Amino acid sequence: MQPTRRGTPDFLLLLLTFLMVGFGLVMVFSASSAIAISSEEYNNNAFYFVKKQAIFAVLGTIGMFFLMNISMTKLRLLLKPYFIIVMIMLVLVPFIGNEVNGARSWFQFPGFGIQPSEFAKLAVILYLAGLIYRKGDKIKQFRKGLVPSVVIVGVVAFLIMLQPDFGSMFILVLAASLVIVVGGANMKHVLVGVTAAAVFVGIGLLIYVTSAESLGFRMQRITCYLDPWSDVQGPCYQIVQSMYAFGHGDLTGTGIGQSIQKLHYLPEAHNDFIFAIIGEELGFFGTLVFLLFYLALIWRGLLVALRSTDTFGNLVGIGIVGLIGIQAFINMGGVTGAIPMTGVTLPFISAGGSSLVVMMSSIGILLSISREYNKPDRTEKPERETKKKNILSKR
């Protein structure tokens, strides 16, 4: 029996992904070179951060091409092992992880770190899609459908909250909710589940913020969101410097590499606040073009997901596109002061190995989905072969 041939991947989605990753490398170098070259911690090497990001881009490309060649049937078999590994990492990281900015969210190794919460986002989307696929119409039932899904999301969200990483937890919950709703859950049940989850998260937040240190930190975030000019030299310094970057960029920008705010004025310029450097160096018009490319990537991914004839592929695709869109919105919203800052990366652009590898691997899954519906028409092949034989026989 001849194996079923798979179709070609969506070339436009692949091209947009490489364009975004390439642009991200350029902006990481632009935003980080001044800090890296002036610090002994980074070996006074202007290429310190971009070299690390390039390595992760290669790893992400490998992951993308690997998953692009994995069928949806095989991917379903890999769900449980991947989910179990991620759960083990989430359980261990609050105890043995490396503390960065008051949160134990990283496993630190020589030369690089791993952030389990980034892998957890994709793991939950895959596991939920597989669960809904197996349950079928039972997802409409409260006890057999919604409750297991909410329990899975709740447990993972709780483990991420222990680090604590509220930005990643919020993104995960929103993306997972999107998969559950699209999966056909009863909306009345969803509202009950959302209410229960809100109470659960609220209790966790209340317990967390009762400590004086945490309470002060969270209140500072809220204060800086409501009035960033209340303490421009204190806790609101970062968001104010971000606003200066957008203002300095004006309509046409300062030009690539010509940012002033990256010169030790804007903290984390190459990480969470890289969008501010884009705004400064490209200006309003350049940033608008960047956003159009970003929207094109999301639109193309959504188109791939909707074209899938497989329920599992459909849910996974929509979950991945939702994850990218939600995280990008939260990052850009925080950097511009439109929403409170949560400290998450801008997908494909910010420096961050775990995020880049996960996002590129997610695109690999979308490309695999596109190969499913782009399969060559097998029914036409015998007809073409018959015509060819007839022509040869006439000769």
Side-chain angles (χ1 to χ4, degrees), residues 64-90:
M64 181 173 66
F65 283 122
F66 172 76
L67 289 170
M68 184 180 74
N69 290 287
I70 297 293
S71 66
M72 291 297 101
T73 302
K74 291 181 180 179
L75 185 62
R76 285 197 291 270
L77 299 177
L78 299 175
L79 293 184
K80 285 188 178 180
Y82 177 58
F83 188 77
I84 291 171
I85 292 172
V86 170
M87 289 296 290
I88 292 173
M89 290 195 297
L90 288 176

Side-chain angles (χ1 to χ4, degrees), residues 152-163:
I152 291 169
V153 177
V155 170
V156 177
F158 177 75
L159 290 174
I160 294 177
M161 190 167 62
L162 289 178
Q163 300 175 13

